[in-house]
Amino acid sequence: MRKPAMLLGTLALIAPLAPSRGGAGGSDAAALGSFSALFDDPNGGANCTSADQHARCKPTANAVAQLPDGREIYWSGLEGMNGVDSTVVTNYGTTALNSGVRILDMRAGGPRFSGTDPFDGGLNPQGNPDNEYLPGPLHNDDVVSNDGDLFCADLKFLADGRIITNGGTSYYQEPGIPGQPSSGIVELNGLKNTAIFDPRTDRWSQVGKMNWARWYPTMVTQADGSILTFGGVTKLIKPIYPNRPGDSFANERHIERFDPSGGRWTDLPDSAKKSFPLFPRMHLLPDGRTLFNAAGQVFDPMGGSWDEATWNFTSVFDPRTNTWKDLGLNDFAGLPLGFRGTGISVMLMLKPGDTVARFLSLGGVPGTTPGAYIGQAATTITEVDTTNDGFRSHRSGDLHTARWFTDGVMLPTGGVWIVNGGDRDHLITPGVEFANLTSELYDPATGRWTVTPPQAHGRSYHSTAMLLPDGRVLVGGHAPVGTLYGRPTDMPHKTFGTSVSYADPSFQIYSPPYLFWGRRPVITGVDPQVRTGQILSVKVDKSTEISSVRILRNTSLTHLVDADQRNVELQIVGRTADAVQVRIPGNTYLPPGPYLLFAHRTVDRGEIPSVARQVFVDAHLTPSQVHELTQRAAAQARAELAGSAAPVGTVQAAVPGPAEVAAPAGAATRTVGRRGGRNTGGLR
């Protein structure tokens, strides 16, 4: 969230921009794909309309991850916003609630929802002991039940499929009068907490705390399975630290490393320190270094850090020397402007032997403080040659619709699909922007965008989009700030018709065009334990048809950021009658963790992916886990070969099942009863 002072001088920029509502030729699913019907959790809280003020809302998918057992976990953001009586500034320090966590299970067909233990992750139930109050008694932290919020924590996968989160939010009023909950100004404090979610038990636990509290940090899994965390801020509104004045008015510069075996964080040497925006856009390069792609969230217009100018430079971190090297300024609309605020950064597909990594950046606004207000259509390709630190940044094809806070999903075929977001900065004038209903699909080979069908709900802020194992995309989220930092109302919903002022718990599923091109290949067997540097045999129904095999890391997304998202093509080195053999590259291409393995066949329109098989790279699974994964994958393969699930083209179904086989082009679609129980392929 940003300071209310940002409203001054910006109201004159509000213009009646027309909302983006439609895509071209929306009925041609084979060219554009299609959306399912909307669905949501029938339980889990109130719907958060104006009639539900002060009720606990149904969680909205502000953060989401694809669990290795085939389910999806998500949690909300800005819970308690519906309880604001007057303004966010004066009320939200006490009305805020810890985010609720929910699990979505579509493995048996229709959606089922459940909770976790504890329901909110269980952080700081007695209050946050690490709040850094200003000197003196002028603060109010009477409400301690909102001091362990997973909102604004980052999340990643450990090698064995458990989820790790770091950071989060603690709310209080500063200044504020104890005993007077509405007499103060909201303050947000980052958390030092580290939480672990185990999908085998659906329980949360805690491990060693970080040395530095963080709100909006970014974690990146390293080649050896350790995790580095970058950026974030300890206090958002008033970052003043009397006990360490040198860190005041700045974001967190310390970099910490998490050791999964010991469950502890350690500081890297001072030579590794660097200033970052909130949720910096980071990526692991094919040589094991980490890239900062000169993008992130900016706390306009007052700024989050006095040294923001350094964020303009694309930089790489070398873990061997604990040092940084600046590469240059990224292009923005043909100009070397450097920094992109509140846009996305996606590593494009890596192929065998690639030493040049390519990154697609889009959306958001140019520049650090004071930045800009209107979302942009310009896209950027950044190329980093890891052999000599060669750097090139250039403009790619522009979006059809300018966007702010959009989500980008790497598809198994190599394209990037984007959805969600608004036409201007929600945090400067919350509740005034128009949501972008359109979605678009990027072809890296041509640099061109195709407008795909519009979604049913506008999701302008705190939205998500995630690749599912069956090749579809789950879209959800939208948790806005109160309109113009006041009490939430239904004004945008009733006036503009593109988004609502309250949290939106609904989901919608997008089926990309490749799911309507004909029969899908079937992976009939694969060892779920994948080792880097070795040959893997992938059993398939028709090996001569397989054009490529690719592996994509399970999604773990929040605030547009999934630093571990990657798509790596595996070199085919041999074929037998019923299998292809592929070479697994090193751990700088595939750091340890859970991945979705796809096989593809080529038709005139392009490649058709199989349903994925869940595998783990360089993880140490127990024999029982390997047996369960193998048995469930075999059941899934039998179901796919028998065609026992509804075709993807059955658009009328709200949520078709996961083991989907697209009907051949022109064939009638039908829904058939599922055989053989649940086809999940996971840890549970």
Side-chain angles (χ1 to χ4, degrees), residues 607-677:
E607 285 191 312
I608 303 173
S610 67
V611 174
R613 292 293 177 264
Q614 183 67 60
V615 298
F616 292 79
V617 173
D618 289 345
H620 300 288
L621 305 180
T622 66
S624 63
Q625 289 172 345
V626 173
H627 176 75
E628 190 169 0
L629 282 165
T630 303
Q631 292 300 307
R632 291 187 174 184
Q636 184 174 337
R638 289 194 296 270
E640 292 171 47
L641 289 169
S644 63
V648 171
T650 310
V651 182
Q652 290 76 17
V655 191
E660 295 181 328
V661 182
T669 61
R670 61 193 182 97
T671 302
V672 188
R674 183 177 298 276
R675 307 170 195 160

Side-chain angles (χ1 to χ4, degrees), residues 219-252:
M219 293 188 286
V220 182
T221 303
Q222 301 296 290
D224 62 359
S226 66
I227 296 173
L228 295 183
T229 187
F230 302 88
V233 68
T234 300
K235 290 180 62 170
L236 181 64
I237 312 297
K238 298 171 286 295
I240 302 170
Y241 314 110
N243 294 331
R244 46 188 180 102
D247 294 333
S248 295
F249 302 107
N251 289 351
E252 187 51 66

Side-chain angles (χ1 to χ4, degrees), residues 158-160 222-225 528-534 551 553 584-595 615-621:
L158 297 175
D160 62 3
Q222 301 296 290
D224 62 359
Q529 294 199 100
V530 175
R531 301 294 181 220
T532 53
Q534 297 185 7
I551 189 169
R553 193 171 179 94
I584 307 300
N587 57 13
T588 57
Y589 286 79
L590 296 173
Y595 289 81
V615 298
F616 292 79
V617 173
D618 289 345
H620 300 288
L621 305 180

Side-chain angles (χ1 to χ4, degrees), residues 156-343:
K156 291 291 176 284
F157 279 103
L158 297 175
D160 62 3
R162 291 177 298 160
I163 287 176
I164 178 174
T165 74
N166 77 320
T169 311
S170 172
Y171 296 95
Y172 51 95
Q173 305 277 67
E174 187 181 62
I177 302 173
Q180 300 294 323
S182 298
S183 59
I185 297 177
V186 63
E187 177 61 281
L188 311 180
N189 208 104
L191 303 181
K192 294 182 179 180
N193 299 75
T194 306
I196 303 288
F197 175 77
D198 190 340
R200 288 164 289 194
T201 62
D202 288 349
R203 292 179 179 175
W204 291 90
S205 60
Q206 294 194 57
V207 292
K209 286 188 174 183
M210 294 182 291
N211 297 303
W212 307 95
R214 299 177 191 266
W215 189 83
Y216 271 62
T218 295
M219 293 188 286
V220 182
T221 303
Q222 301 296 290
D224 62 359
S226 66
I227 296 173
L228 295 183
T229 187
F230 302 88
V233 68
T234 300
K235 290 180 62 170
L236 181 64
I237 312 297
K238 298 171 286 295
I240 302 170
Y241 314 110
N243 294 331
R244 46 188 180 102
D247 294 333
S248 295
F249 302 107
N251 289 351
E252 187 51 66
R253 300 186 184 92
H254 297 85
I255 298 174
E256 299 182 63
R257 182 185 297 274
F258 180 76
D259 175 11
S261 62
R264 295 182 179 179
W265 293 91
T266 56
D267 278 351
L268 297 190
D270 286 350
S271 60
K273 286 183 179 179
K274 181 176 172 58
S275 177
F276 293 100
L278 302 179
F279 275 133
R281 297 348 185 208
M282 316 291 295
H283 306 271
L284 183 70
L285 291 170
D287 64 354
R289 295 182 299 168
T290 300
L291 174 77
F292 166 56
N293 199 20
Q297 312 296 111
V298 182
F299 187 47
D300 297 333
M302 299 301 291
S305 200
W306 61 265
D307 51 4
E308 290 185 9
T310 63
W311 304 346
N312 286 293
F313 291 92
T314 300
S315 308
V316 291
F317 174 71
D318 190 337
R320 297 167 299 182
T321 62
N322 289 312
T323 57
W324 289 89
K325 181 177 181 179
D326 289 340
L327 299 183
L329 298 173
N330 268 339
D331 174 275
F332 201 128
L335 298 173
L337 298 181
F339 186 80
R340 183 184 292 265
T342 321

Side-chain angles (χ1 to χ4, degrees), residues 394-428:
H394 59 92
R395 189 173 188 173
S396 187
D398 286 356
L399 300 169
H400 291 84
T401 304
R403 314 180 85 95
W404 181 88
F405 213 93
T406 196
D407 290 287
V409 179
M410 171 66 75
L411 300 178
T413 51
V416 178
W417 184 69
I418 65 166
V419 68
N420 299 328
D423 64 346
R424 65 193 98 173
D425 192 329
H426 171 85
L427 288 178
I428 292 180

Side-chain angles (χ1 to χ4, degrees), residues 30 32 53 100 128 327 339 424 478 572 644:
L32 306 175
Q53 192 175 3
N128 181 28
L327 299 183
F339 186 80
R424 65 193 98 173
H478 179 66
I572 297 177
S644 63

